Amino acid sequence: MSNSIKVLAKMDSFEHEQVIFCQDKDTGLKAIIAIHDTTLGPALGGTRMWDYENEEEALEDVLRLSRGMTFKAAISGLELGGGKAVIIGDATKHKTKNLMKKFGKFVDTLSGKYITAEDVGMSTKDMEYVRMETKHVTGIPKSMGGSGDPSPVTAYGVFMGIKASSKFLWGDDNLKDKKILVQGIGHVGEYLVKYLSDEKANVFISDINQTKLDNVASKYDATIIDNDSVFDFDMDIYAPCALGGILNTSNINKLKCSIVCGGANNQFEDETRDSLHLKEKGIVFAPDFLVNSGGLINVYSELKGYNRDKALEQTKEIYNTTLDILKKSKEEGITSYSAALKIAKNRIEAKKL
Ligand code: NAD
């Protein structure tokens, strides 16, 4: 009894609509699906498989991530709500075809109120297994009528965010000769490097994977920076495209750039404290949940009958939205992070009227 009260109290504090706990003895599936808010449309968000220490950690993660999806969809002008699912377990050991199919069956019981997609610990193949049991899944391969890898579209959105931030700060969005560091040159980072090189920016890259670094450096004429000296490096724009939680008090103190705009999710260790710290240092921050929403826009387009050009056109709007948010932040003397959240929340409230 006390556990259920705790879950409801957590749902209350995050403002969730519904949380579904799924358990299957035969496959060992243990999953939680969180539906945060469906005011704007069905709750869409990926499924993450992770070896959580305990159920509480899994619940905390799915609640936090699904809430983030609500605001990402709202700020991007999509008719979508926010949701997310987590499967508890080590993806390299516990994931099987039958487990994924069983998960798909649970998703199907929600009749489209929750739509799933790929996230950490998932592959396109896993989404194919889910697709065998439910049509409420996106990000499936092009061969199955899906939209395929969303990363190029995500990178395009980040590129739009960088250009808008430059326009806001310097009155010009031309990136020629701007010193830009892309940290993390995986799926999103490498496509971003390509956009920046095409624009003749002065591109620097860092990663923990030397093979990738050598490969991208030779393909795009980018200069490699030691990953440990990123915060000692003098640059115009810093584009974090690796993992989340990269920015904290100690490295923001050292950071030498004018703009932070990158594809990584949840870049701050503490959103309120660290976004304020950047503002106080006079560094322009393009909110991550806005500029990396190209991937979501891409899967959203899949729901309407996929059209790559339309997805890119809608992603291009990230430019105008970023500019609006940066202006609002300046006018109201608030962080760009708060300005973006305000706009997202207003859109949801307006729909309720
Ligand atoms: P990825 O796994 O393909 O690439 C991540 C890269 O970061 C890898 O090259 C890895 O070696 C590097 N890396 C890991 N830890 C690092 C560290 N400590 N320092 C430097 N480099 C490090 O992932 P991705 O799909 O390119 O996603 C990158 C980020 O963007 C993630 O935070 C992801 O959540 C976010 N994101 C991705 C998409 C998408 O469409 N793929 C959409 C929205 C948000």
Side-chain angles (χ1 to χ4, degrees), residues 48 72 119-120 149-152 154 183-189 206-209 212 227 240-244 246 263-265 292-293 295-296:
R48 174 170 292 192
K72 186 182 283 217
D119 196 74
V120 176
D149 179 12
S151 312
T154 303
Q183 185 182 31
I185 40 151
H187 287 97
V188 176
S206 70
D207 203 292
I208 47 170
N209 183 323
K212 276 189 190 173
N227 201 45
C241 294
L243 304 181
I246 187 79
N265 268 320
N292 73 14
S293 62
L296 180 64

Side-chain angles (χ1 to χ4, degrees), residues 191-234:
Y191 285 111
L192 179 61
V193 168
K194 183 177 182 330
Y195 279 117
L196 298 173
S197 316
D198 288 349
E199 185 108 348
K200 307 254 178 309
N202 191 2
V203 184
F204 295 82
I205 52 175
S206 70
D207 203 292
I208 47 170
N209 183 323
Q210 191 60 41
T211 315
K212 276 189 190 173
L213 282 170
D214 294 338
N215 178 29
V216 172
S218 65
K219 259 163 100 179
Y220 302 105
D221 192 24
T223 309
I224 299 171
I225 293 290
D226 179 3
N227 201 45
D228 292 332
S229 33
V230 163
F231 296 102
D232 301 313
F233 185 64
D234 214 328

Side-chain angles (χ1 to χ4, degrees), residues 1-11:
M1 187 65 181
S2 65
N3 274 345
S4 65
I5 290 172
K6 231 168 151 184
V7 174
L8 283 168
K10 275 188 188 290
M11 286 174 69

Side-chain angles (χ1 to χ4, degrees), residues 10-25:
K10 275 188 188 290
M11 286 174 69
D12 187 32
S13 71
F14 281 95
E15 300 183 325
H16 274 76
E17 285 179 16
Q18 197 179 356
V19 176
I20 302 100
F21 290 81
C22 317
Q23 201 275 135
D24 179 59
K25 199 160 175 265

Side-chain angles (χ1 to χ4, degrees), residues 127-138:
M127 290 305 112
E128 284 180 35
Y129 297 144
V130 173
R131 181 68 185 87
M132 288 174 186
E133 304 297 337
T134 182
K135 61 180 196 301
H136 305 300
V137 50
T138 55

